[in-house]
Amino acid sequence: MEKQMSVLKFCLAVIAAYLLGSISVAVLLTKKQYKQDVRGCGSGNAGATNVARVFGMKAGVITFIGDLLKTAAAVTVGGLLLGETGKCAAAAACLIGHCYPVFFGFRGGKGVTVSAAVALVLDVRFFLFLVAVFFLVFLAARTVSVSSVSCAIAYPVGMLLFGHTALAPMLLSAFVTVFVIFLHRANIKRILSGTEPKFKAKNDRAERR
């Protein structure tokens, strides 16, 4: 009976996290505020970076915060249901939902914000480590995709560095690394060919004029 309850809690954590992840803040915001679907603009990615690039930094920040909150909710539910294992399972499910949202035709983001939010919920030090990696690489390369892939590679390093060495967090970190790199495969090809564009947010002031 106890084993069955654990399986049930695991399934509930995963389903709830996937559905929360499927709430695409980028799509909801751009459709309501700008009457456009961000997936038809810029890179076509439903993430904070593309929102900032197309609609301005303010919109990008709102998207980032929304994605962070939905991830925190998903991981918290997972933790309440099944402790550390539930947190990690929910984190992975939320990431999948964000990238392949059931409510929006399975076309979402590339998981960078959600991965960062997971780190923040698990360990603030881990989050700050990833933020440092992101901005140091960005200062050198001026390319968000290079910074994002660098953070994905650094994910398991951060887990180890801050003592999250149990099986569940290590499996989660391996999943995040492989999944985020897979989703950036087109970017990686452009990086290697030297054609990946530098990041430039739309000017909010220009938009208001």
PDB file of all heavy atoms in Angstrom, residues 24 38 71 93 141 171 173 192 197 208:
ATOM      1  N   SER A  24       2.484  28.799 -20.939  1.00  0.00           N
ATOM      2  CA  SER A  24       3.502  29.595 -21.626  1.00  0.00           C
ATOM      3  C   SER A  24       3.281  31.086 -21.375  1.00  0.00           C
ATOM      4  O   SER A  24       2.414  31.713 -21.993  1.00  0.00           O
ATOM      5  CB  SER A  24       3.491  29.302 -23.126  1.00  0.00           C
ATOM      6  OG  SER A  24       4.477  30.074 -23.781  1.00  0.00           O
ATOM      7  N   VAL A  38       4.454  35.377 -29.972  1.00  0.00           N
ATOM      8  CA  VAL A  38       5.915  35.502 -30.054  1.00  0.00           C
ATOM      9  C   VAL A  38       6.535  34.386 -30.878  1.00  0.00           C
ATOM     10  O   VAL A  38       7.620  34.546 -31.441  1.00  0.00           O
ATOM     11  CB  VAL A  38       6.526  35.523 -28.623  1.00  0.00           C
ATOM     12  CG1 VAL A  38       6.366  34.159 -27.940  1.00  0.00           C
ATOM     13  CG2 VAL A  38       7.984  35.943 -28.652  1.00  0.00           C
ATOM     14  N   THR A  71       7.688  27.559 -12.227  1.00  0.00           N
ATOM     15  CA  THR A  71       8.642  26.498 -11.901  1.00  0.00           C
ATOM     16  C   THR A  71       8.733  26.292 -10.398  1.00  0.00           C
ATOM     17  O   THR A  71       8.748  25.153  -9.914  1.00  0.00           O
ATOM     18  CB  THR A  71      10.039  26.834 -12.464  1.00  0.00           C
ATOM     19  OG1 THR A  71       9.929  27.109 -13.858  1.00  0.00           O
ATOM     20  CG2 THR A  71      11.000  25.680 -12.250  1.00  0.00           C
ATOM     21  N   ALA A  93       9.682  17.457 -15.254  1.00  0.00           N
ATOM     22  CA  ALA A  93       8.380  17.512 -15.922  1.00  0.00           C
ATOM     23  C   ALA A  93       8.001  18.938 -16.299  1.00  0.00           C
ATOM     24  O   ALA A  93       7.448  19.182 -17.379  1.00  0.00           O
ATOM     25  CB  ALA A  93       7.314  16.901 -15.011  1.00  0.00           C
ATOM     26  N   ALA A 141      31.136  36.638 -25.099  1.00  0.00           N
ATOM     27  CA  ALA A 141      30.618  36.242 -26.409  1.00  0.00           C
ATOM     28  C   ALA A 141      29.499  37.126 -26.935  1.00  0.00           C
ATOM     29  O   ALA A 141      29.250  37.166 -28.144  1.00  0.00           O
ATOM     30  CB  ALA A 141      30.119  34.792 -26.346  1.00  0.00           C
ATOM     31  N   LEU A 171      20.653  12.867 -11.503  1.00  0.00           N
ATOM     32  CA  LEU A 171      19.911  12.483 -12.715  1.00  0.00           C
ATOM     33  C   LEU A 171      19.248  13.707 -13.336  1.00  0.00           C
ATOM     34  O   LEU A 171      19.238  13.866 -14.557  1.00  0.00           O
ATOM     35  CB  LEU A 171      18.859  11.429 -12.378  1.00  0.00           C
ATOM     36  CG  LEU A 171      19.370  10.014 -12.090  1.00  0.00           C
ATOM     37  CD1 LEU A 171      18.213   9.117 -11.655  1.00  0.00           C
ATOM     38  CD2 LEU A 171      20.054   9.426 -13.322  1.00  0.00           C
ATOM     39  N   SER A 173      20.287  16.833 -13.124  1.00  0.00           N
ATOM     40  CA  SER A 173      21.305  17.681 -13.743  1.00  0.00           C
ATOM     41  C   SER A 173      21.750  17.123 -15.096  1.00  0.00           C
ATOM     42  O   SER A 173      21.951  17.880 -16.052  1.00  0.00           O
ATOM     43  CB  SER A 173      22.507  17.844 -12.806  1.00  0.00           C
ATOM     44  OG  SER A 173      23.180  16.627 -12.616  1.00  0.00           O
ATOM     45  N   LEU A 192      28.999  27.427 -34.440  1.00  0.00           N
ATOM     46  CA  LEU A 192      30.173  26.815 -35.068  1.00  0.00           C
ATOM     47  C   LEU A 192      30.466  27.406 -36.447  1.00  0.00           C
ATOM     48  O   LEU A 192      31.623  27.475 -36.869  1.00  0.00           O
ATOM     49  CB  LEU A 192      29.981  25.299 -35.178  1.00  0.00           C
ATOM     50  CG  LEU A 192      29.916  24.541 -33.836  1.00  0.00           C
ATOM     51  CD1 LEU A 192      29.594  23.065 -34.075  1.00  0.00           C
ATOM     52  CD2 LEU A 192      31.234  24.677 -33.076  1.00  0.00           C
ATOM     53  N   PRO A 197      23.432  35.216 -34.264  1.00  0.00           N
ATOM     54  CA  PRO A 197      23.346  36.668 -34.016  1.00  0.00           C
ATOM     55  C   PRO A 197      23.631  37.030 -32.563  1.00  0.00           C
ATOM     56  O   PRO A 197      23.359  36.255 -31.645  1.00  0.00           O
ATOM     57  CB  PRO A 197      21.898  36.994 -34.388  1.00  0.00           C
ATOM     58  CG  PRO A 197      21.153  35.716 -34.178  1.00  0.00           C
ATOM     59  CD  PRO A 197      22.119  34.623 -34.558  1.00  0.00           C
ATOM     60  N   ARG A 208       7.393  53.028 -27.195  1.00  0.00           N
ATOM     61  CA  ARG A 208       6.387  53.907 -26.630  1.00  0.00           C
ATOM     62  C   ARG A 208       6.147  55.139 -27.492  1.00  0.00           C
ATOM     63  O   ARG A 208       5.154  55.851 -27.317  1.00  0.00           O
ATOM     64  CB  ARG A 208       6.791  54.337 -25.211  1.00  0.00           C
ATOM     65  CG  ARG A 208       6.730  53.215 -24.193  1.00  0.00           C
ATOM     66  CD  ARG A 208       6.780  53.781 -22.790  1.00  0.00           C
ATOM     67  NE  ARG A 208       8.079  54.397 -22.490  1.00  0.00           N
ATOM     68  CZ  ARG A 208       9.094  53.755 -21.920  1.00  0.00           C
ATOM     69  NH1 ARG A 208       8.970  52.477 -21.620  1.00  0.00           N
ATOM     70  NH2 ARG A 208      10.226  54.370 -21.656  1.00  0.00           N
TER      71      ARG A 208
END
